Amino acid sequence: MNEPREVKLDDSGLRILWDDGHSSYYPHRYLRAECRCAGCVEEMSGRRLVTLENIREDVQALDWDTVGRYALQFLWTDGHTTGIYPFDLLRQVCQCEQCVKR
């Protein structure tokens, strides 16, 4: 499993440099919409409760922390704090030019 070597937040989004050399990018709003916590996704059905359309255009991650050795967690300007983003999910939803083309 790949792990982040470097994590940076800026005004446009989150950038992760992975230990395999890949550089990922995630716009703030897009990343917020990818949250899979029970408040954002119905546990029994898997139906998304919070969608991109429900998220303010100006939402930003203010800070982040690691969860164990497998995930990141973010503090969002909309007050959301419960989402855990496993490293494998972050790699799957990467929005860098190379990954979007796939």
Side-chain angles (χ1 to χ4, degrees), residues 25-90:
Y25 171 70
Y26 314 87
H28 288 286
R29 187 169 176 242
Y30 171 82
L31 188 59
R32 173 64 181 86
E34 288 297 322
C35 183
R36 311 277 167 98
C37 79
C40 294
V41 175
E42 193 173 77
E43 288 182 82
M44 298 304 282
S45 69
R47 181 177 65 88
R48 188 155 273 294
L49 302 171
V50 176
T51 63
L52 189 63
E53 294 78 30
N54 304 119
I55 298 170
R56 291 178 49 138
E57 298 259 346
D58 63 349
V59 72
Q60 288 192 333
L62 297 172
D63 201 4
W64 62 274
D65 201 0
T66 55
V67 177
R69 295 190 66 204
Y70 73 96
L72 298 179
Q73 187 171 26
F74 300 95
L75 169 62
W76 296 97
T77 55
D78 65 2
H80 191 63
T81 61
T82 58
I84 294 174
Y85 295 74
F87 298 154
D88 60 343
L89 170 68
L90 289 168

